[in-house]
Amino acid sequence: MPVRSHGPFRPIRPTVSCALLALLLTLLVSPAPASAAGSGPNAWSVRPAGAATDGVRRGAFSLDATPGSKIKDAVLVSNLSKVPISFQVYGTDAYNTPRDGALAYREAGQAQQGIGRWVTLATNALVIPAGRSAEIPFTLTVPADATPGAHVGGIVALDNAVEQAGRDNGVDLGIQRAIAVRMQLTVAGPLTPGVTVRDVRLTHRPSGVPFRSGSATVRYTVVNTGNTVIQPTARPRATGLFGRTLKTFRTARLPVLLPGQSTVMTAAWDGAPPLDFVHASVRVSAQGVPEASAESGSVLLSWTTVAVLLALSALLALALSQVRRRRRARLEELP
């Protein structure tokens, strides 16, 4: 399949640099047309090719297909700098990072299971001169056994140039930069959105001062159990003994979660009581999805507070003992 050029460019064979102690791949999502990356002489953009519809260009690929079908489209890579840039271009799967749920893309050398395997580009390596663009056709082949619902990935344009960083700190770090334009494919079939929350945990950090409030953190995992893309909201809450409301956290709007993906969220709590039995609960909801909830119980314990209470109890017991002894002595003195 030919590559359509907006100006001359030169296909190359991709090379691998082995001289790096570390390689950092920064993937910048391209949600809008002409998103650019790089600094100084290197800046470029990646977006869907094709003329604008009603004056609006596509900012991402939004495709619908049936299992076993093929889709033909093209991606436009533009060199916005004043020097030629050597690119590696490839299809990739998207995923949510476990730590904060941010959308990320797999590197070229990682195993691709979805769109990263289904996309075949007309070329995977090229040099684009300064101020020029290259339109790269691709074919998306949907497997006959593809599951219904959303499949999310992207097409990445990786600058082959390696930037050196960290030398001032004695670390030899090589950085490569890339842009990914998002691709969301919906495979025909039943759509079953779903969400659940798991592993609710409360971590307590008591104050070192007796009877003073400490801090705590509610940690929980939200999982997209359906086959659609969702953006859930979570409402954590903490209650004490006898159902007393101790803390109502602000509603958290989570990142977009892909099917089968999960993210770990935390909610900070300043003013946690030094002593109590606390139930931490989390309710999660999303548009068109039944609400899910989970909870767990924890004992909040401040050892300095316990020590003071034990000391006070001992003093009180001693004082009561003295009172009883004196009362018995007075009774014995009576006729």
Side-chain angles (χ1 to χ4, degrees):
M1 186 181 295
V3 179
R4 188 175 303 167
S5 171
H6 296 246
F9 71 92
R10 172 166 62 87
I12 64 169
R13 294 181 179 179
T15 59
V16 179
S17 173
C18 300
L20 299 177
L21 294 179
L23 174 64
L24 176 63
L25 176 61
T26 305
L27 291 176
L28 304 178
V29 184
S30 179
S35 292
S39 58
N42 289 4
W44 69 98
S45 69
V46 183
R47 65 172 177 82
T53 302
D54 297 331
V56 179
R57 291 188 181 274
R58 292 183 296 171
F61 293 100
S62 181
L63 308 171
D64 297 283
T66 56
S69 62
K70 292 186 178 182
I71 300 175
K72 295 184 181 295
D73 210 320
V75 63
L76 184 68
V77 182
S78 301
N79 182 354
L80 309 178
S81 72
K82 298 180 179 179
V83 297
I85 302 179
S86 170
F87 290 104
Q88 180 183 356
V89 186
Y90 59 93
T92 180
D93 296 339
Y95 66 97
N96 290 102
T97 59
R99 183 174 60 87
D100 57 6
L103 192 66
Y105 296 91
R106 304 197 187 281
E107 300 176 27
Q110 294 180 320
Q112 310 287 347
Q113 303 295 330
I115 286 177
R117 288 182 58 187
W118 304 347
V119 167
T120 302
L121 291 142
T123 185
N124 295 103
L126 69 161
V127 173
I128 303 180
R132 301 292 186 176
S133 300
E135 186 175 301
I136 308 173
F138 66 85
T139 301
L140 176 62
T141 303
V142 183
D145 59 352
T147 57
H151 299 263
V152 183
I155 295 179
V156 174
L158 169 68
D159 184 0
N160 286 317
V162 178
E163 301 176 19
Q164 297 298 322
R167 288 180 174 175
D168 295 340
N169 299 324
V171 179
D172 188 9
L173 179 65
I175 299 176
Q176 285 186 270
R177 300 188 184 276
I179 300 178
V181 58
R182 179 174 168 177
M183 180 184 297
Q184 180 166 325
L185 168 70
T186 302
V187 177
L191 299 181
T192 55
V195 67
T196 189
V197 57
R198 303 171 182 165
D199 302 329
V200 178
R201 298 180 182 179
L202 180 66
T203 303
H204 183 220
R205 292 175 296 278
S207 171
V209 179
F211 303 105
R212 177 173 293 182
S213 299
S215 61
T217 300
V218 178
R219 180 186 179 94
Y220 55 96
T221 301
V222 180
V223 186
N224 182 350
T225 58
N227 63 358
T228 63
V229 176
I230 61 173
Q231 186 168 16
T233 56
R235 300 185 302 279
R237 184 168 174 260
T239 57
L241 284 174
F242 312 112
R244 303 173 357 261
T245 299
L246 300 177
K247 176 69 174 181
T248 300
F249 298 85
R250 298 177 63 179
T251 300
R253 187 172 180 82
L254 278 65
V256 171
L257 280 184
L258 307 184
Q261 298 288 306
S262 63
T263 182
V264 177
M265 302 296 295
T266 58
W269 178 11
D270 290 327
L275 286 174
D276 209 332
F277 182 78
V278 177
H279 269 91
S281 61
V282 181
R283 293 183 177 274
V284 177
S285 60
Q287 186 174 4
V289 180
E291 186 179 76
S293 64
E295 66 177 26
S296 67
S298 297
V299 177
L300 303 194
L301 190 64
S302 166
W303 287 111
T304 55
T305 302
V306 171
V308 171
L309 289 175
L310 290 176
L312 292 175
S313 300
L315 291 175
L316 180 60
L318 180 61
L320 291 175
S321 175
Q322 293 291 338
V323 169
R324 287 196 297 268
R325 185 179 298 111
R326 291 174 182 174
R327 181 177 297 173
R328 284 197 303 269
R330 287 197 299 269
L331 290 175
E332 291 174 353
E333 293 174 357
L334 293 176

